[in-house]
């Protein structure tokens, strides 16, 4: 029996046989070809490349159903397949030095990987995982090996790997994976996001994992404590199985809250809305369990293809969502790209600080036609439901006024063309501290607001939300976060205007009582969190929530706030 330690990133426990997943391709030997064979190897490389691009496109399309923002990873991987330098180097090695095709692929990627792995900048070194993933795909295709990742596991197992990338988990079935354990990865890694979205217990960042386990060995995982026990003794096995049973029962009990409405124990209605990022049926099926779409991230339309989505295509997509939600509001956020979300075919200038750069509404102001087309499509669709338009990355009243002008222009164009549309509410994301501080003034100019706590926290704490190195500085329980959120909620409540939260803090069951205590009555979140948040709300009274909020506002550090919220 041996105990290993890592970071528990998705709760739960499990006992089962380990399935060691590695990239499983044959590493080619250093080998050379005979004169006259060059063209055949070159042609083979081109054909493998083409198949890899098709495969990545397939994975991307299937991933779009789960998470459109993550689907962009596969566009980035397609770019790697097409990388100019790599595609000069591989043919040159085959033609000039008679390297065999497979060896040339392996070795040219290895050279790039060595450079990336040795870069101190974590943003660059993280890219190595994508290059590694692409090389594995190319070589698997080269050798005619399966490229299906974890989509065909025959029985429930504990998946162990160095790290899991989206291509490994596309098509993964929740009931075939008891837990995930990996060597690499932290709270913000791809693996963590995937585990959380599937609700699979996961322990990541376990040093020496793959040297400590054998294929098929029995392991016990406790993701609450971040521990993995190899070859557990019977009593340990029993203890972990009990834990897993308790976890599964609790999960079932929580799931029972899905169909209930959001209401506190003292009877106050709390609106529970849905964050979606596509018009996919899978996402829309939560319609009956929610009061509205609180955030429609529209980036999917722009990331799905290699060109800007035409007005008509957008119109049909929005219409489908509006019709599905009928009289329930659908809050459509206008295009929010830049920062972490790049669209390969749009020409972004390189920026030193993209999160402080041309993102969200700023990008749309510098590309007015893109925004105008989107607003026209949205307004045309407005007659099919209850549309609200939400503007991202708003910093000042100038931003609000400029955006409203464009909305008006789009409306005037439609009127001239004799196309009908409804009056729509216009609102803003509160995710930049500047606008949060003047939320009272903003509330005079808009109909509603939605708190984007993900960005608000990164800007308040000056910590890039994507950068693992500064993860400990990104403190969503920082006292300033709650104070500023209070300012925004009070301002909109005082003005009698709707305010909600659509960032991750709103689905954190520890933070929910504080937010309700601060006066928030509307939450929007991903489908996976709805049941748990409804359950938390059902055990609260407004009076208790207000006491909690008051106490939190008096605490000096994020750590003390989190500890206090864990105990109540
Ligand atoms: C946010 O910033 O909290 C938010 C909801 O928007 P996104 O995560 O898409 O930036
Ligand atoms: Mg945001």
């Amino acid at each position: 029996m041996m105990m290993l330690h890592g970071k528990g990133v998705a709760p739960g426990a499990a006992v089962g046989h380990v399935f060691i997943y590695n990239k499983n391709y044959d590493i080619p030997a250093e080998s050379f070809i005979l004169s006259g064979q060059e063209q055949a190897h070159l042609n083979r490389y081109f054909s493998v490349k083409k198949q890899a691009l098709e495969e990545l496109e397939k994975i991307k399309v299937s991933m779009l159903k789960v998470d459109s923002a993550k689907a962009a990873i596969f566009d980035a991987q397609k770019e790697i397949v097409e990388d100019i330098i790599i595609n000069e180097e591989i043919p040159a090695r085959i033609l000039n030095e008679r390297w065999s095709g497979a060896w040339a692929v392996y070795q040219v990627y290895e050279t790039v990987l060595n450079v990336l792995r040795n870069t101190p900048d974590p943003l660059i070194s993280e890219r190595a995982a994508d290059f590694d993933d692409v090389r594995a795909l190319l070589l698997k295709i080269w050798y005619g090996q399966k490229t299906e990742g974890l989509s065909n596991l025959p029985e429930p197992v504990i998946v162990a790997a160095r790290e899991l990338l989206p291509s490994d988990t596309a098509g993964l079935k929740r009931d075939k994976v008891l837990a995930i354990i990996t060597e690499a990865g932290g709270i913000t890694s791809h693996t963590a996001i995937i585990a959380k979205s599937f609700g699979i217990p996961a322990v990541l960042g376990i040093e020496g994992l793959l040297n400590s386990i054998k294929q098929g060995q029995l392991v016990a995982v406790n993701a609450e404590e971040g521990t993995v026990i190899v070859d557990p003794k019977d009593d340990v096995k029993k203890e972990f199985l009990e834990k897993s049973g308790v976890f599964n029962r609790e999960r079932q009990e929580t799931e029972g809250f899905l169909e209930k409405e959001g209401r506190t124990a003292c009877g106050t209605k709390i609106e529970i809305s849905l964050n979606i990022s596509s018009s996919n049926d899978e996402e829309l099926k939560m319609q009956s369990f929610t009061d509205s779409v609180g955030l429609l991230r529209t980036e999917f339309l722009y990331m799905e293809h290699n060109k800007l989505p035409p007005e008509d295509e957008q119109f049909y997509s929005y219409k489908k969502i509006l019709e599905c939600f009928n009289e329930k509001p659908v809050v459509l956020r206008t295009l929010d790209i830049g920062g972490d979300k790049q669209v390969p075919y749009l020409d972004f200038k390189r920026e030193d600080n993209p999160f402080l750069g041309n993102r969200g509404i700023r990008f749309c102001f510098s590309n007015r036609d893109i925004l105008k087309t989107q607003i026209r499509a949205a307004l045309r669709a407005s007659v099919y439901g209850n549309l609200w338009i939400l503007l991202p990355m708003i910093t000042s009243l100038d931003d609000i006024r400029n955006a409203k002008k464009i909305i008006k222009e789009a409306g005037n164009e439609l009127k001239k063309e004799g196309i009908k549309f409804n009056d729509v509410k216009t609102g803003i994301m509160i995710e930049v501290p500047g606008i949060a501080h003047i939320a009272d003034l903003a509330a005079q100019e808009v109909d509603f607001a939605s708190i984007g706590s993900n960005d608000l926290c990164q800007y308040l704490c000056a910590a890039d939300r994507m950068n693992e190195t500064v993860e400990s500085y990104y403190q969503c329980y920082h006292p300033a976060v709650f104070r500023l959120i209070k300012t925004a909620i009070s301002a909109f409540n005082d003005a009698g205007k709707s305010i909600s939260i659509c960032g991750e803090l709103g689905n954190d069951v520890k933070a929910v009582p504080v937010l309700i205590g601060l006066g928030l009555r509307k939450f929007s979140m991903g489908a996976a969190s709805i049941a748990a948040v409804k359950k938390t709300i059902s055990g609260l009274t407004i009076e208790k929530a207000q006491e909690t909020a008051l106490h939190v506002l008096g605490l000096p550090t994020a750590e003390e706030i989190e500890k206090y919220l864990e105990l109540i």
Side-chain angles (χ1 to χ4, degrees), residues 106-118:
Y106 182 82
Q107 200 49 38
V108 168
Y109 272 83
E110 187 64 14
T111 311
V112 179
L113 277 163
N114 279 333
V115 175
L116 293 175
R117 285 180 190 133
N118 293 321

Side-chain angles (χ1 to χ4, degrees), residues 1 4 18 140 158 206 322 368 426 503 510 516 534:
M1 194 166 107
L4 304 166
V18 79
K140 276 183 182 177
I158 292 181
I206 309 167
L322 283 157
R368 276 174 76 96
T426 309
K510 285 191 291 221
I516 292 182
K534 284 183 177 175

Side-chain angles (χ1 to χ4, degrees), residues 189-378:
S189 65
H190 291 325
T191 319
I193 291 162
I194 290 160
K196 274 195 256 176
S197 69
F198 280 100
I200 299 173
V203 180
L204 313 185
I206 309 167
E207 235 175 89
L209 171 70
L210 297 180
N211 288 331
S212 315
I213 48 169
K214 289 198 232 41
Q215 196 69 276
Q217 209 167 10
L218 193 72
V219 295
V221 178
N222 181 348
E224 308 290 336
E225 286 167 14
T227 50
V228 173
I229 295 180
V230 186
D231 274 338
K233 292 209 180 100
D234 282 351
D235 56 334
V236 175
K237 213 166 97 181
K238 194 164 154 249
E239 182 198 332
F240 275 56
L241 278 172
E242 271 164 18
K243 274 198 186 108
S244 151
V246 171
F247 174 72
N248 288 335
R249 273 195 299 283
E250 273 173 9
R251 188 160 59 191
Q252 261 172 13
E253 192 213 317
T254 304
E255 284 311 310
F257 278 84
L258 187 61
E259 48 200 37
K260 303 197 172 148
E261 65 171 348
R263 197 170 284 283
T264 61
C266 58
T268 302
K269 163 91 178 150
I270 307 290
E271 261 186 61
I272 302 295
S273 311
L274 184 64
N275 287 359
I276 56 175
S277 39
S278 78
S279 54
N280 210 285
D281 292 340
E282 188 57 27
E283 294 210 70
L284 298 183
K285 75 175 188 212
M286 296 303 285
Q287 183 266 358
S288 51
F289 306 127
T290 49
D291 296 302
S292 65
V293 170
L295 173 65
L296 165 60
R297 288 185 167 100
T298 56
E299 290 75 57
F300 74 98
L301 285 164
Y302 298 79
M303 288 169 157
E304 227 165 280
H305 304 299
N306 296 326
K307 61 175 177 47
L308 283 168
E311 184 180 311
D312 258 2
E313 183 189 320
Q314 296 192 47
F315 162 73
Y316 284 113
S317 205
Y318 303 151
K319 174 172 177 278
K320 180 177 173 194
I321 299 168
L322 283 157
E323 282 178 336
C324 172
F325 275 75
N326 203 358
E327 81 282 1
K328 292 180 182 177
V330 171
V331 177
L332 178 153
R333 186 175 72 184
T334 58
L335 181 61
D336 184 23
I337 47 170
D340 59 321
K341 298 177 206 128
Q342 299 287 328
V343 174
Y345 58 85
L346 290 175
D347 206 13
F348 281 96
K349 269 210 204 97
R350 210 197 77 80
E351 295 176 298
D352 282 339
N353 294 296
F355 274 119
L356 301 179
N358 197 22
R359 17 167 358 201
I361 201 72
R362 301 174 181 178
F363 172 84
C364 287
F365 287 151
S366 53
N367 294 272
R368 276 174 76 96
D369 288 349
I370 295 180
L371 180 59
K372 184 88 88 59
T373 304
Q374 183 172 36
I375 302 280
R376 279 179 58 102

